[in-house]
Amino acid sequence: MATDYYAVLGVQRDASQDEIKKAFRRLARELHPDVNPDPKTQERFKEINTAYEVLSDPQKKQVYDLGGDPNSSGGGAGGFGAGNFGNFSDIMDAFFGTASQRGPRSRTRRGQDAMIRLDIDLDEAAFGTTKDIQVDTAVVCGTCSGEGAAPGTSAQTCDMCRGRGEVSQVTRSFLGQVMTSRPCPQCQGFGTVVPTPCPECAGDGRVRSRRSLTVKIPAGVDNGTRIQLGGEGEVGPGGGPAGDLYVEIHEAPHPTFQRRGDDLHCTVTIPMTAAALGTKVPLETLDGMEEIDIRPGTQSGQSVPLHERGITHLRGGGRGQLIVHVEVTTPTKLEPEQEELLRRLSQLRGEERPTGQFQPGQQGLFSRLKDAFNGR
C-alpha cells in the first residue's frame, strides 16, 4: 500500500468518523491554497483531500482497510483546482465553522400542537371551574407501539445508502470534481425501510383516537384566554413525543350582565316616583340576591357601584365591581287623578326652585303620586 491515509491525516487506524473529520478540518484550514500558496503545501493539500475522500466513505474505507484500491473505479486523487476532494461541505465547514446535518434522520419526531374551543358561562369565568372535554388527536399506535412495522417484523437497513440516509454524487465544477450528498431516494433519508408496514397505522406509528381530559379553568379567564396543557397534543410520527394542547376560552353572553374587563355592568329601570323618593331594587348578582339602594333624587343615567361583585382578577387577589346603571322611566299615559297630582306638584315646586329639593308639602304629595302610580 503506497500511501498511509491514516498517517496523512494524523489519526490512528481505529479512529472514529468524528475524529477523522476533525483531523481533516484542522489540516484543511492550515493547508488550503488560499491560505498557504506554497506549491509544496498544495501537494500536501491534495494528499489530505484524497485521504479524507477514502476514509470518510464507508465503502472505500473498507476496501482500503482490506488492502484494495479504493479508487479503482476511476476517481483519481486531485487538488483544489482540478481533481477530487472529499465532500465539498466539509471544506466549507473547515473555514466557516458550519457543520451540516449528516447521517440518517430519525423516524421519531415531536408531534404538532393542537387547539380546541371551550365555551363557559360568566359565573364559571368569574370563579373558575373544572371541565371534562373530549379531544380527537393522534396517539401512539397500540399495534406496533409506534415502530411502524407490522407485528413480528422490523425496519431494515436501506440497501441503497447502507444506513447512511444519504447518497453521494460527484459532479464537475470550476473547482474540479465536487462530491455532494443528498437524501437517499429509497429510504427518504431515514437510513432504514419498513418492508411490512403496520396494518393499523400504515407505518406512521400513530392513529387517531378520542380521549377524555379534565381541564382546570382558573378564575378570571376571558374571551380568547388560552390554557396550555403540556404533552396533551398530537403524538409525533414514529410514536414521537406529543405536542401541547391549547384550550381557548369563549365566554357565553349573559342575559343581565355585560363584562368590561373585570367589571360587570347592568341596567335597572325604575319609575320617576321611585327615583324621586328613593327605593330598594332587588337584583340577582353572581353572589346571590341583593338589594340595590336607590337614593332619593336619583337621575336617569346615574350608576350605583357594588364593590367586589365583579370578576375575580386572573393575576392577583380581589375582584372587579358590579356597576348598576339606573334608568328612570316617564309615564306616557296618565289617569285623571295622576295628572291632577302632577299638576299640583308642579304648582307647589315653582319654576324658580332648584330641581331635586322638596319643599314643605311636596313630600306627602310625592307619596300620594307613588301610591297612585303603583295602584294603576
Side-chain angles (χ1 to χ4, degrees):
M1 189 176 295
T3 304
D4 186 350
Y5 291 144
Y6 291 99
V8 169
L9 293 180
V11 297
Q12 300 295 323
R13 297 189 66 86
D14 58 352
S16 66
Q17 285 294 321
D18 188 55
E19 292 172 334
I20 292 172
K21 183 182 296 184
K22 288 181 179 179
F24 168 73
R25 290 177 179 173
R26 176 177 53 80
L27 292 171
R29 283 193 292 267
E30 297 175 2
L31 304 173
H32 194 280
D34 289 345
V35 178
N36 194 335
D38 181 67
K40 293 183 179 180
T41 302
Q42 293 186 29
E43 290 299 321
R44 172 72 171 140
F45 185 69
K46 293 178 182 179
E47 291 180 0
I48 67 166
N49 277 317
T50 304
Y52 182 69
E53 178 187 1
V54 172
L55 298 183
S56 64
D57 187 312
Q59 294 180 349
K60 291 184 178 181
K61 183 176 182 295
Q62 184 179 17
V63 172
Y64 175 75
D65 289 340
L66 293 175
D69 182 3
N71 296 311
S72 60
S73 58
F80 182 75
N84 298 335
F85 57 82
N87 193 312
F88 181 67
S89 61
D90 285 323
I91 299 287
M92 302 303 292
D93 292 346
F95 284 91
F96 298 105
T98 56
S100 58
Q101 292 292 331
R102 296 205 186 123
R105 61 190 180 101
S106 175
R107 291 184 179 274
T108 302
R109 301 192 301 277
R110 182 184 183 275
Q112 294 183 345
D113 296 336
M115 187 177 71
I116 65 170
R117 167 176 168 160
L118 179 62
D119 296 320
I120 63 173
D121 296 329
L122 179 63
D123 59 333
E124 294 174 325
F127 303 117
T129 185
T130 56
K131 289 281 190 178
D132 292 328
I133 59 175
Q134 299 291 319
V135 185
D136 290 320
T137 57
V139 298
V140 175
C141 175
T143 301
C144 67
S145 300
E147 296 296 327
T153 66
S154 61
Q156 305 295 322
T157 301
C158 175
D159 57 8
M160 177 175 287
C161 66
R162 298 185 182 278
R164 297 176 59 194
E166 60 183 15
V167 291
S168 300
Q169 181 180 10
V170 176
T171 57
R172 298 190 64 83
S173 71
F174 71 95
L175 297 174
Q177 296 186 30
V178 180
M179 181 181 294
T180 59
S181 298
R182 60 187 177 88
C184 175
Q186 179 166 295
C187 66
Q188 309 302 317
F190 292 118
T192 59
V193 293
V194 181
T196 310
C198 171
E200 184 69 22
C201 65
D204 192 39
R206 55 184 183 167
V207 294
R208 305 295 299 184
S209 178
R210 173 170 292 187
R211 53 201 177 94
S212 298
L213 291 175
T214 300
V215 183
K216 183 178 181 180
I217 310 299
V221 294
D222 202 350
N223 267 323
T225 299
R226 291 184 179 180
I227 301 171
Q228 182 180 6
L229 302 179
E232 297 293 351
E234 301 276 348
V235 166
D244 297 335
L245 174 66
Y246 291 87
V247 180
E248 185 174 86
I249 299 299
H250 284 255
E251 185 181 292
H254 194 274
T256 303
F257 303 115
Q258 296 82 46
R259 179 175 178 177
R260 300 174 193 169
D262 288 342
D263 292 334
L264 297 178
H265 295 257
C266 71
T267 300
V268 295
T269 303
I270 61 174
M272 67 175 189
T273 52
L277 297 174
T279 187
K280 291 185 181 296
V281 179
L283 178 66
E284 184 69 37
T285 71
L286 297 181
D287 299 271
M289 184 65 70
E290 296 193 26
E291 287 191 338
I292 311 302
D293 186 17
I294 306 298
R295 297 180 179 275
T298 296
Q299 303 297 304
S300 187
Q302 289 184 334
S303 60
V304 180
L306 299 181
H307 301 290
E308 296 292 318
R309 292 294 184 271
I311 304 295
T312 303
H313 299 312
L314 183 60
R315 294 176 179 84
R319 297 169 59 183
Q321 299 183 94
L322 169 58
I323 301 174
V324 181
H325 301 271
V326 179
E327 183 179 276
V328 179
T329 59
T330 302
T332 57
K333 183 178 180 180
L334 298 174
E335 299 293 335
E337 181 184 2
Q338 298 169 347
E339 184 176 353
E340 177 61 25
L341 289 172
L342 286 176
R343 289 185 184 280
R344 289 180 59 190
L345 176 62
S346 177
Q347 293 172 359
L348 285 172
R349 291 179 61 81
E351 294 181 356
E352 74 282 358
R353 294 192 176 96
T355 301
Q357 297 181 4
F358 296 143
Q359 301 300 317
Q362 295 179 1
Q363 181 72 41
L365 184 56
F366 258 110
S367 298
R368 291 174 59 191
L369 273 170
K370 181 178 179 182
D371 294 339
F373 279 111
N374 291 339
R376 64 185 177 92

